[in-house]
Amino acid sequence: IHNLAKRGTKIMTTLYEHGTLAALMAGNFDGTITVGDLLKHGSMGIGTFTGLDGEVVILNNEVYQAVSSGQVNHITDMDATMPFASVHFPAEQQDITLRNVNFAKLNNDFVKEHKLANIFAFLQLSGEFEHVKIRIAPKQEKPYPTLLDVAQHQPEFTAENISGTIIGYYAPEIFGTITAAGWHLHFISDDRQFAGHLLAFDAPELTGSFEIFDNLEQHLPIHNKEFRESTVDMATLRDGIAKSEGNAE
């Protein structure tokens, strides 16, 4: 069993986080883990590449990158590097069906129903979407700006009547500096031609799986000089993250 440990008869479910959102906020965009090494810790997940180059979706060990032109690339280079990513191996999934769903319902009704306020969770939903709005981070060059600066100039894309999949994670507010608090979701279409960081959506019915984690593995790039020497402005960090990573609803 990949990356799982048994506590009595209970399986520990582990979410693996590489890097921190706080480091991205400080402009640490250099990749610090290879795709190959990341996939040792999970077959599903999301992230970004060196230079904040696009939005990553990992589905069943297949890695896709949406770049700011709107193009979606299938990544097969296991030496490509990422500064920030969240992955896991599915273990104790619950099948779910949601009707008349949008981001507001995920943020409110779903969180309350499943009592997520203090835990990490994973969500994968597929189906026909009436409307999808995404954004894609453009690749940055050194000297890197802050994530907030980048977030103010990100191209947005919309699609109507598109089939695809939402994938991503929920994090409690108290962890909102190592990752995005609330839902951090990416979208990819079934034809793999449309993908990005999810801002808004509407769908009549979506089916998929839901999973909660009782173990968080936080991996830090201790050998990266910029990470070790960077400073984080705690006074503006949470507001900056909300403006950079928040969804539209």
Side-chain angles (χ1 to χ4, degrees):
I1 300 177
H2 292 291
N3 204 30
L4 298 176
K6 288 192 175 181
R7 183 186 294 149
T9 57
K10 174 70 172 71
I11 293 178
M12 286 178 60
T13 53
T14 299
L15 169 60
Y16 179 89
E17 296 261 1
H18 174 77
T20 68
L21 194 51
L24 287 190
M25 291 300 297
N28 295 319
F29 299 160
D30 278 347
T32 46
I33 191 170
T34 66
V35 170
D37 283 340
L38 182 69
L39 292 178
K40 295 175 183 176
H41 300 278
S43 60
M44 310 285 280
I46 57 177
T48 189
F49 279 108
T50 291
L52 210 67
D53 189 10
E55 311 291 336
V56 172
V57 173
I58 302 172
L59 280 174
N60 301 316
N61 284 312
E62 298 296 327
V63 181
Y64 301 93
Q65 173 202 30
V67 296
S68 58
S69 66
Q71 179 179 330
V72 179
N73 302 317
H74 183 205
I75 304 300
T76 57
D77 180 5
M78 293 295 104
D79 292 325
T81 58
M82 305 172 70
F84 181 70
S86 304
V87 295
H88 78 290
F89 289 110
E92 294 195 337
Q93 300 178 87
Q94 305 172 44
D95 293 335
I96 55 171
T97 298
L98 301 178
R99 293 179 176 84
N100 299 317
V101 60
N102 54 33
F103 232 135
K105 287 191 175 181
L106 286 187
N107 283 331
N108 298 297
D109 298 349
F110 192 88
V111 169
K112 292 176 182 176
E113 179 184 350
H114 294 277
K115 299 178 173 62
L116 300 184
N118 298 310
I119 60 175
F120 286 85
F122 167 77
L123 187 64
Q124 179 181 348
L125 293 171
S126 299
E128 297 291 329
F129 293 77
E130 295 173 341
H131 170 76
V132 174
K133 181 179 181 181
I134 59 171
R135 56 92 164 144
I136 303 174
K139 184 179 181 180
Q140 304 298 306
E141 304 293 342
K142 286 187 170 181
Y144 293 135
T146 65
L147 180 59
L148 183 56
D149 289 336
V150 177
Q152 294 170 350
H153 304 93
Q154 295 184 99
E156 297 181 355
F157 302 87
T158 59
E160 314 296 325
N161 302 315
I162 186 171
S163 59
T165 297
I166 290 171
I167 179 176
Y169 299 93
Y170 181 90
E173 186 70 31
I174 60 171
F175 289 93
T177 56
I178 64 168
T179 190
W183 288 111
H184 180 188
L185 303 173
H186 288 188
F187 176 87
I188 188 166
S189 62
D190 286 352
D191 64 8
R192 306 299 189 247
Q193 298 298 305
F194 183 84
H197 175 100
L198 190 63
L199 295 176
F201 73 96
D202 291 284
E205 181 175 294
L206 299 176
T207 60
S209 60
F210 166 69
E211 187 168 0
I212 61 176
F213 302 98
D214 60 0
N215 189 43
L216 171 67
E217 183 176 353
Q218 176 66 57
H219 184 250
L220 301 175
I222 62 173
H223 300 296
N224 179 265
K225 183 175 183 288
E226 286 81 6
F227 175 76
R228 295 292 292 270
E229 295 179 355
S230 66
T231 57
V232 175
D233 183 357
M234 295 301 297
T236 60
L237 180 60
R238 287 184 180 273
D239 184 56
I241 288 174
K243 291 177 180 176
S244 301
E245 293 296 318
N247 54 67
E249 297 182 7

